[in-house]
Every structure is written in C-alpha cells, then in structure tokens.
Amino acid sequence: MRTFVKIFHSNNDTEKLEKRINEFAKNKEIIDIKYSISSYAFSDKYYSGGGTDYSVLLIYKIRG
C-alpha cells in the first residue's frame, strides 16, 4: 500500500479548513498529521498589518 501526502493551507477561516480536512480524510487511513501556525507582520509608510497562516500536512493511505 502506498503512502501519500496532502497539504492544506488557510490564512483566515479555520472552520472551513477543518471541514476540508475532515471531508478529505473520510476514506483514508491517516498515519500522521502535522499542524503549523505562523504569524506575520509588515509595515511601510502606507500600511501596517499582519495575519496568521494555518498549515496542515496529512500523511495517509487510501483504504480499500
């Protein structure tokens, strides 16, 4: 049985990210999950802001 990797990413809606992951994982054997949160900030003379990135890496096998 082959092992696969799938990466999910979002920079705003964590609920939508969770739903995408759960839908994808339905018929798969999840071997490992890696979750990462990164924050960033930037600024120049016109704008100052920042945000958060959410990344999930799934290692899985397909059932059946």
Side-chain angles (χ1 to χ4, degrees):
M1 190 183 292
R2 291 181 54 200
T3 302
F4 300 92
V5 174
K6 176 76 174 173
I7 298 172
F8 294 90
H9 176 265
S10 178
N11 59 4
N12 51 16
D13 190 348
T14 57
E15 286 184 35
K16 199 181 281 187
L17 176 64
E18 182 179 343
K19 286 179 185 178
R20 285 177 38 218
I21 292 167
N22 287 335
E23 184 65 30
F24 177 82
K26 278 185 180 177
N27 296 319
K28 297 168 181 77
E29 177 185 342
I30 304 300
I31 297 169
D32 200 2
I33 300 173
K34 304 295 184 195
Y35 185 72
S36 175
I37 301 173
S38 302
S39 296
Y40 59 90
F42 53 90
S43 180
D44 65 17
K45 66 181 181 178
Y46 302 108
Y47 179 77
S48 196
T52 305
D53 286 331
Y54 305 91
S55 298
V56 176
L57 181 139
L58 292 180
I59 301 171
Y60 67 96
K61 294 181 181 180
I62 298 175
R63 292 185 191 151

